[in-house]
Amino acid sequence: MPPARRKPKRNKGAGKLNNARHEVGVDTPEPTAGSPSGIHHLEPEDGELFEHPPTDIGPNPMNRRLALRNMDEMIDSVKRQGVHTPGAAMHTELFMEQYPEWADQVLYPERTYILGPGHRRHAAALAAGKPMLLILRDQWAKDRTVEENLISENNDRDDLSPIEQALQLDLLRKRGMTGEQIAERSGYGNRGTVSKFLSLLVLPQEIQTEIHERRMSHSDGYTLATIRDSDKSNDTAAAHELQLQAYGWMRDEGITADAAKSRLKVQATVFPTRNKKIEKPTKPQRDEGGNQQRAADVSHEKHGTNAAEDPIQPDQDGSAAGTDTSIPHQSTGEGDSQERQRQERASGTGVDEREKQTERDQVTAAEEASQRRGLACRLLLAQERYASAPDLSVMLINAVLNQLEWQDAAALAHSWLRELGKGPSTERPSMYFVEVAASEDATLKRRAAFAIALAANELHTTRQDPHWDDRARAHLQFLITNKAVAYEPTEHEQELLGLVSSEAQ
């Protein structure tokens, strides 16, 4: 009597299907699509490895892939060898029962199985006409852990873009999980990593597309996502406008995301309404009889039709300097105003006032430029990389060799570093730098030295204004060319650099 045929062995993840087929007398190494091999006439158990026709397997709506990339090579491999790395699947009916909120988004509810991880392998099996190798994971649906298992499977795959990974993590956030819980469930390390991925989803669609298509790095995208509007929000229309402006500089000028962000900060802090050119007083003109016209009349003719676009600059005491509030050709009740005006012109009083106004305009322009440069210096000091070694050496030499500058430069550098929260909390500048010198923090020492060098050059530049020497020009040129700041010089500074011509005085 022949021995009874042995019951087929179940292979729980071992992948030794050919041996099992041979033992039960079924030898079909290449089963046709649509007809399962002999061993798989039995219903697979949870956790079991099995093959199944890809046409009876549906995609998972939780899969956040936006595209299947590099498929040609995978399809060729599957045609030659079959699917040798298993995907994961659940019974479709069970998935829809456990996830009713996703049921309406299941594309093929009539198919037996629905995928977990393995969408590229499934697409390749369909294209190659080969069976799909799967592990049954019904327990994922029962435990409602499909999202995190999708993420855990995919988070190290190069073919997933940062945006796709962020969309996958967002599934867990929508379930109310905290950053720590998402990191633990998904295998993304820590809350900070999760937060950086999720922040990409607040960016404008144009920037998200750049990141998804890998024309912008994840880190640059995160930097842009930290740009906020005046209300400290990064997902409003106003924030998106700033983010797109920074992206435009990156694209057009080749600067880094950090430099673009710094430029926005300089622009918003010192000039909230963007740079405005300070108009120089117009040279007095003469009429046909050789008499000078009043500067106020010339200014009125030039600006009268566009006063709202070029507001009068207030003087330091808050008043509008250089303006004439009296009505021309009208008596004030204290005598003939026209006669007084003629007397003023004859005595030169009007000319003196115009000269004083010119000086006030120059002082205002110099002060605004100095404030803006000071902010740029602080932004440089906030970076971890300050300047190249040759640049820093030259700057330090200037500071060290000009001993009279040292005390003031140290005081200014101390104020910058304290504002940034760098170094000890000592209030006296001299003691602050003594403590820095005695510390073992090499980075802090280098930052402090750089701060003194910057401060010395800034003080020198401010004192030289408006007659800059080579050192002052080199200081501004350093701020302009440093990619961490990408400083934009004001009209006043451009004139001093010779980049634009001043109007005739």
Side-chain angles (χ1 to χ4, degrees):
M1 181 177 177
R5 179 171 293 182
R6 297 174 58 191
K7 184 178 179 180
K9 289 183 178 180
R10 299 268 184 195
N11 291 278
K12 302 208 180 232
K16 300 179 180 179
L17 295 177
N18 290 335
N19 292 338
R21 291 192 185 97
H22 179 71
E23 291 181 10
V24 298
V26 179
D27 191 10
T28 55
E30 293 187 2
T32 58
S35 113
S37 59
I39 190 173
H40 298 307
H41 284 296
L42 301 173
E43 180 71 14
E45 298 175 0
D46 197 56
E48 183 178 341
L49 181 68
F50 68 105
E51 286 179 341
H52 198 75
T55 52
D56 192 37
I57 306 168
N60 195 313
M62 290 182 179
N63 179 43
R64 299 288 90 183
R65 284 183 182 273
L66 301 177
L68 299 176
R69 305 176 189 83
N70 305 320
M71 289 300 299
D72 292 342
E73 183 178 349
M74 176 169 279
I75 292 171
D76 290 341
S77 174
V78 171
K79 285 180 178 177
R80 294 192 309 269
Q81 306 174 24
V83 179
H84 53 80
T85 303
M90 297 151 282
H91 282 90
T92 304
E93 185 177 354
L94 176 65
F95 174 84
M96 295 173 65
E97 178 185 330
Q98 297 297 319
Y99 284 94
E101 66 272 25
W102 290 95
D104 291 342
Q105 300 181 48
V106 174
L107 291 179
Y108 304 103
E110 74 282 359
R111 294 185 181 180
T112 304
Y113 297 106
I114 188 169
L115 281 170
H119 286 75
R120 292 182 73 244
R121 285 161 279 177
H122 177 248
L126 278 173
K130 295 288 186 177
M132 180 70 179
L133 190 61
L134 296 169
I135 298 177
L136 186 63
R137 295 297 189 190
D138 278 345
Q139 195 62 42
W140 290 359
K142 294 175 183 177
D143 294 341
R144 286 180 60 89
T145 59
V146 177
E147 299 97 327
E148 45 261 60
N149 281 292
L150 277 169
I151 298 170
S152 180
E153 170 80 9
N154 288 328
N155 65 357
D156 291 326
R157 294 186 180 278
D158 293 336
D159 61 303
L160 277 180
S161 75
I163 295 297
E164 289 171 323
Q165 295 180 63
L167 289 170
Q168 204 74 58
L169 291 168
D170 192 45
L171 295 179
L172 299 181
R173 179 170 62 176
K174 288 177 178 177
R175 282 175 53 182
M177 292 188 186
T178 64
E180 290 84 355
Q181 290 171 329
I182 295 174
E184 181 181 354
R185 299 279 189 96
S186 65
Y188 268 69
N190 55 60
R191 179 178 59 84
T193 301
V194 170
S195 176
K196 287 183 178 181
F197 274 102
L198 291 175
S199 67
L200 301 180
L201 301 181
V202 308
L203 291 166
Q205 190 58 51
E206 182 179 352
I207 300 178
Q208 288 194 39
T209 299
E210 292 296 297
I211 299 170
H212 173 63
E213 297 295 338
R214 302 180 189 276
R215 292 188 290 268
M216 180 185 294
S217 69
H218 175 199
S219 60
D220 281 348
Y222 170 69
T223 298
L224 294 184
T226 61
I227 295 174
R228 302 176 183 274
D229 62 16
S230 58
D231 294 327
K232 308 302 181 183
S233 297
N234 64 349
D235 58 354
T236 62
H240 285 176
E241 182 180 356
L242 294 173
Q243 292 158 2
L244 286 170
Q245 185 177 7
Y247 161 66
W249 290 331
M250 294 169 62
R251 178 194 58 211
D252 299 337
E253 302 178 28
I255 65 175
T256 65
D258 286 327
K261 181 181 177 181
S262 297
R263 183 185 293 184
L264 280 174
K265 188 172 182 179
V266 170
Q267 178 177 279
T269 303
V270 181
F271 296 116
T273 57
R274 312 284 175 88
N275 284 348
K276 184 180 292 293
K277 180 178 178 180
I278 298 176
E279 298 290 344
K280 297 291 190 295
T282 305
K283 184 177 181 179
Q285 301 180 11
R286 299 180 180 274
D287 58 21
E288 293 180 356
N291 298 322
Q292 287 186 346
Q293 294 179 340
R294 291 173 60 247
D297 294 338
V298 176
S299 177
H300 177 74
E301 179 182 351
K302 180 177 180 181
H303 299 295
T305 60
N306 199 22
E309 294 182 7
D310 191 15
I312 298 171
Q313 297 292 331
D315 196 4
Q316 293 180 6
D317 62 1
S319 62
T323 62
D324 187 356
T325 57
S326 63
I327 302 174
H329 313 300
Q330 179 173 332
S331 174
T332 62
E334 298 178 1
D336 190 347
S337 62
Q338 294 184 16
E339 180 63 25
R340 276 203 311 277
Q341 291 169 7
R342 284 195 295 270
Q343 292 175 357
E344 288 177 358
R345 286 197 295 271
S347 63
T349 304
V351 176
D352 291 342
E353 181 59 31
R354 286 194 295 274
E355 290 178 352
K356 291 179 180 178
Q357 179 60 38
T358 299
E359 292 178 359
R360 286 195 290 266
D361 287 343
Q362 290 177 343
V363 169
T364 299
E367 288 177 349
E368 290 178 343
S370 178
Q371 291 174 11
R372 196 164 184 264
R373 290 195 307 270
L375 178 59
C377 291
R378 295 196 295 277
L379 291 172
L380 270 175
L381 289 173
Q383 307 293 321
E384 295 306 318
R385 298 177 62 184
Y386 320 115
S388 63
D391 286 334
L392 183 54
S393 296
V394 170
M395 295 169 71
L396 284 173
I397 287 171
N398 286 330
V400 171
L401 294 182
N402 291 273
Q403 296 184 8
L404 296 178
E405 293 181 352
W406 170 259
Q407 185 173 359
D408 291 341
L412 180 57
H414 172 256
S415 69
W416 288 346
L417 293 168
R418 287 288 306 279
E419 180 180 339
L420 294 170
K422 305 296 184 181
S425 58
T426 310
E427 295 184 0
R428 289 181 58 190
S430 59
M431 293 305 300
Y432 173 92
F433 289 107
V434 167
E435 291 185 31
V436 170
S439 74
E440 298 181 358
D441 189 341
T443 300
L444 176 60
K445 290 180 179 180
R446 187 165 181 261
R447 195 191 302 267
F450 183 46
I452 292 174
L454 270 180
N457 279 351
E458 175 55 34
L459 289 173
H460 175 84
T461 301
T462 301
R463 289 164 181 163
Q464 288 290 314
D465 202 292
H467 305 292
W468 279 2
D469 57 11
D470 290 342
R471 181 181 170 189
R473 293 187 179 89
H475 174 58
L476 186 60
Q477 194 67 29
F478 173 73
L479 297 180
I480 293 172
T481 57
N482 192 293
K483 290 186 177 182
V485 175
Y487 180 79
E488 292 183 347
T490 64
E491 292 286 341
H492 175 74
E493 291 170 325
Q494 290 181 49
E495 288 184 6
L496 295 178
L497 286 175
L499 299 177
V500 295
S501 300
S502 60
E503 298 178 10
Q505 298 292 324

